[in-house]
Amino acid sequence: MAATKARQVRHNKTVQVLGRIGMGCYGLVYLLIGYLAVRIAFGGGGQEADGRGAVAEVGSTAVGGVLLWGLAAGLVAYGLWQALQAAVGYTWIGKQRQRTVKRVTSGVRCLVGISLGVYAAQSAAGAAEQGSGDQRQQEFTARLLGLPAGPFLVIVAAVVVLGVAVASVVNGIRRNFLRDLDLSSLPKGTQRWVERLGRIGYVARGVVFGVIAVLIGFAALTQDPSRSGGLDAGLRTLAEQPFGTVLLTVVAVGVAAFGAYCVGAARAQRA
């Protein structure tokens, strides 16, 4: 009975419109992360290149308060839409294993969307928690390391993140993301661009998550939580490599491409 009600809600036109608007807001966050990463590549200061940094960048504009409330509403709507997908979505996928993986992924996106939405609302109200995303990641790693078999647990976390990274790269190369889209609902001139942006974006996103996995792995091996980090740390690590400016710029453009893909593909998401 509950599942039937959830399916009815998921297919509600208003819910779908709000969810797609929310996906556009989610894409905007990635566009801003790409922009912030380019600034880092060329030695510019400013916000951290992660979700919190993107929210702070929105808040720094002249009408930041209004924009933050709109962004908060959109991200929460996206999170709730993903929650419905996690519960009863992806019915067009025949294989149970693939459907389960998709639903777990939607569950993660639900948590990310709602947490960012809440942070945006807190920022708009002037009550946001202090600390960057990297600091929160390091604090979480420190708590894990303090547990029995802590280094092993952190290694497991690194392996999970690495799995996400590999899956994202494979998704982009094989264009698996197209299975979730009905491209016929898009204007013909944009269909090819959405596909291209998705391929570039998923691969770039996978590269960054791969670097994050390596950082978490080093934290486990050295038992030093300060070696771990989130999205911002992953991007800054790329900047520290040989030809780091070029490397980070390329990846930053790819991250922004993922954001543009989310905006462009929102309308084409299968219900």
Side-chain angles (χ1 to χ4, degrees), residues 116-139:
L116 273 178
V118 169
Y119 180 72
Q122 290 173 336
S123 297
E129 297 178 3
Q130 298 299 314
S132 66
D134 287 341
Q135 290 173 333
R136 291 169 65 86
Q137 174 66 44
Q138 290 166 4
E139 290 170 359

Side-chain angles (χ1 to χ4, degrees), residues 241-260:
Q241 306 310 307
F243 305 102
T245 298
V246 175
L247 179 61
L248 179 54
T249 300
V250 170
V251 173
V253 171
V255 170
F258 180 77

